[in-house]
Amino acid sequence: MASMAGEPARVRVALTRSGGLLGRPTRRGLDTANLSAQEATRLRHLVEKVWDGAADAPVSGVDPGPGADRYTHVLEIDRAGERYVQTFTEAVPAQLRSLVDLLRAAPRLPPGGAPPR
């Protein structure tokens, strides 16, 4: 995951949560261009685990069934010109949990659009 100049590739991730009682979406995200070297390395590592796991098996969460107040999450990753999008319900798939936990504490982003630039 390195760029042409040998620098690590830029990674942008966003997590959108919608549904719930109010139905108001929240969006949080991180961009390696805006992180310290240590934080950017951690984000790249977590993204790499998700990316590698996606090639091995489809990501699936436990579907708790229908419910008007359930949350839906959309995880978006942009990495070196490639894009990964995964939608899941309240049950966060195990292979996404560490990255989702990090994103839940990330800064809020405006709704919709691309991950942070």
Side-chain angles (χ1 to χ4, degrees):
M1 190 164 44
S3 69
M4 300 271 272
E7 295 291 320
R10 183 177 185 184
V11 175
R12 296 177 297 161
V13 281
L15 179 68
T16 304
R17 185 187 75 183
S18 59
L21 188 60
L22 298 177
R24 187 175 316 154
T26 58
R27 185 171 168 82
R28 297 179 180 275
L30 295 169
D31 183 337
T32 55
N34 300 326
L35 299 174
S36 70
Q38 183 178 5
E39 292 168 326
T41 297
R42 179 175 183 222
L43 180 60
R44 283 188 188 94
H45 174 73
L46 293 173
V47 164
E48 197 66 33
K49 285 174 49 178
V50 169
W51 208 276
D52 290 346
D56 296 336
V59 177
S60 61
V62 176
D63 186 356
D69 297 335
R70 297 203 187 278
Y71 288 115
T72 299
H73 299 82
V74 178
L75 174 66
E76 302 166 77
I77 301 172
D78 287 328
R79 179 190 82 164
E82 298 178 286
R83 186 160 170 83
Y84 171 91
V85 178
Q86 177 65 48
T87 302
F88 54 95
T89 57
E90 293 174 354
V92 178
Q95 62 266 47
L96 302 179
R97 194 164 294 127
S98 294
L99 181 57
V100 168
D101 288 345
L102 180 65
L103 287 167
R104 284 181 175 156
R108 284 185 178 241
L109 302 172
R117 294 205 181 273

